[in-house]
Amino acid sequence: MGKSGKKRILLKIGSNVLTKETNQISRGKLEDIARQIASLKDEYEFIIVSSGAIAVAKQFVKLESNGKPINVKQALASIGQPHLMRIFYENFWELGLLTSQCLLSYSDFKKEQSRTNIKNTINVLVKNNYIPIINENDTVATDEIKFGDNDLLAAKISTLFQADLLIVLSSVDGLYASEADSKDPANSALIRHVPKINSKIKKMAGQAN
């Protein structure tokens, strides 16, 4: 719970949610999310972790490189991040919601002073009615580009701020028994409800550092 007495929600928005699994960012989807936040802002504080910078950039440019594909993705993230924030700003501003940008990497969580700085900055933003829009600093870090679409980053921030609720907006229907199942939903062993996290469930979820 935040210092304002409001419950704090960490909302993670994946790239496929923002694009509705197309090659274009859906302003309608983002507007729908903004409207729901606006209707709850008197009761809850929101912190958002959002992917989508690379997806936005792909709408504008096609980069060529003789280097590694991950370097192209980092460059696309650099191009797309300002556009992503502009789309957030425009949709949220129309509903009276203020936004700010925060770019973080995993190294920021390794030192106590860095963690304290993150908490202090975001707490000031939230106290002044700004919604922090957090993304991984993809130009200097590659972990989420390779593995998690910001899922792990959202979990770390949720823990750091002791969020009352972590909501992950995803195009995935639930937890799959195996990676192969997730690639073939028609024949998958889908687990929609996990009442208790045990060793078997942890194994299904895979590894995260």
Side-chain angles (χ1 to χ4, degrees), residues 70-170:
I70 192 68
N71 299 137
V72 175
K73 289 185 177 181
Q74 287 179 289
L76 287 170
S78 175
I79 294 168
Q81 184 64 29
H83 292 287
L84 178 64
M85 286 305 304
R86 175 176 54 81
I87 296 170
F88 264 103
Y89 172 82
E90 291 171 352
N91 281 273
F92 279 52
W93 176 262
E94 290 180 359
L95 296 170
L97 300 174
L98 304 173
T99 58
S100 68
Q101 173 183 265
C102 297
L103 296 177
L104 303 176
S105 62
Y106 289 112
S107 60
D108 295 323
F109 292 88
K110 294 179 180 180
K111 296 181 180 180
E112 183 177 351
Q113 185 59 55
S114 295
R115 292 194 301 271
T116 298
N117 292 340
I118 293 169
K119 290 182 67 174
N120 290 342
T121 299
I122 292 180
N123 279 330
V124 169
L125 289 168
V126 172
K127 182 180 179 181
N128 286 275
N129 298 315
Y130 277 81
I131 299 174
I133 311 294
I134 302 170
N135 199 353
E136 188 192 19
N137 190 358
D138 291 326
T139 58
V140 298
T142 62
D143 291 340
E144 289 289 15
I145 289 180
K146 291 179 179 178
F147 303 117
D149 196 37
N150 280 337
D151 288 347
L152 183 56
L153 181 62
K156 285 182 175 292
I157 294 171
S158 179
T159 300
L160 182 64
F161 284 94
Q162 298 181 318
D164 296 281
L165 183 63
L166 168 60
I167 300 175
V168 178
L169 300 186
S170 172

Side-chain angles (χ1 to χ4, degrees), residues 7 24 33 43 61 95 104 115 167 179 201-202 204 207:
K7 289 187 176 180
Q24 297 281 328
I33 292 171
E43 301 175 61
V61 298
L95 296 170
L104 303 176
R115 292 194 301 271
I167 300 175
E179 184 177 353
I201 294 296
K202 288 182 178 179
M204 290 179 189
Q207 299 295 318

Side-chain angles (χ1 to χ4, degrees), residues 4-31:
S4 65
K6 298 179 183 179
K7 289 187 176 180
R8 182 168 288 180
I9 294 177
L10 194 294
L11 180 63
K12 186 266 174 176
I13 308 174
S15 297
N16 284 341
V17 173
L18 287 176
T19 62
K20 299 178 72 172
E21 298 190 77
T22 68
N23 59 357
Q24 297 281 328
I25 293 290
S26 171
R27 288 178 176 267
K29 172 56 70 175
L30 199 53
E31 181 181 347

Side-chain angles (χ1 to χ4, degrees), residues 168-182:
V168 178
L169 300 186
S170 172
S171 59
V172 179
D173 294 326
L175 176 66
Y176 291 97
S178 71
E179 184 177 353
D181 287 335
S182 67

